[in-house]
Amino acid sequence: MPKDHLRRRALHWQNAQFDHRQGFQPVRRKEHNMATVIGSVNKLINQTSTQILENHIPQKMADMVNTVVNTGFQIVEDVLKITQDLTKASDSNQGDS
């Protein structure tokens, strides 16, 4: 077989656009522009941020964190009051002996 024929035969399996009647045709692929991808990402980011703002997620998270912190400090304050009451009773008992 001539070398050219072997080359075409080998390329036939690599190129889906090969046609025996027309020879090799340029491969036409659907191009995805970077702008299309970036546009899709921008749209997704915009929709996500819109939903987050419409549902007041930042304020709800701030309220949740604030509640946790306030509850923690309230517990500390209650423990300190109990400790204060216990040590006060203990001091009055030692003075009487």
Side-chain angles (χ1 to χ4, degrees):
M1 278 189 203
K3 287 184 180 181
D4 188 46
H5 181 70
L6 291 174
R7 183 181 155 276
R8 285 186 180 199
R9 189 172 181 190
L11 289 175
H12 169 75
W13 298 106
Q14 296 172 7
N15 187 344
Q17 299 296 322
F18 181 80
D19 185 348
H20 289 286
R21 285 172 264 131
Q22 297 178 1
F24 287 96
Q25 298 296 314
V27 176
R28 292 185 178 96
R29 294 185 181 132
K30 187 176 181 181
E31 293 185 16
H32 293 284
N33 292 343
M34 191 56 122
T36 304
V37 173
I38 291 173
S40 297
V41 171
N42 282 343
K43 183 177 179 182
L44 178 64
I45 291 171
N46 180 274
Q47 290 173 343
T48 303
S49 59
T50 300
Q51 288 298 315
I52 288 172
L53 290 173
E54 285 178 356
N55 291 316
H56 309 287
I57 301 298
Q59 183 61 43
K60 290 177 181 179
M61 289 179 68
D63 291 344
M64 181 183 69
V65 170
N66 191 23
T67 300
V68 169
V69 171
N70 284 339
T71 302
F73 279 109
Q74 186 63 45
I75 290 170
V76 169
E77 185 178 345
D78 291 344
V79 168
L80 288 173
K81 285 180 182 178
I82 292 169
T83 304
Q84 182 185 31
D85 290 343
L86 290 174
T87 55
K88 184 177 181 181
S90 185
D91 287 342
S92 64
N93 288 340
Q94 287 180 356
D96 292 339
S97 333

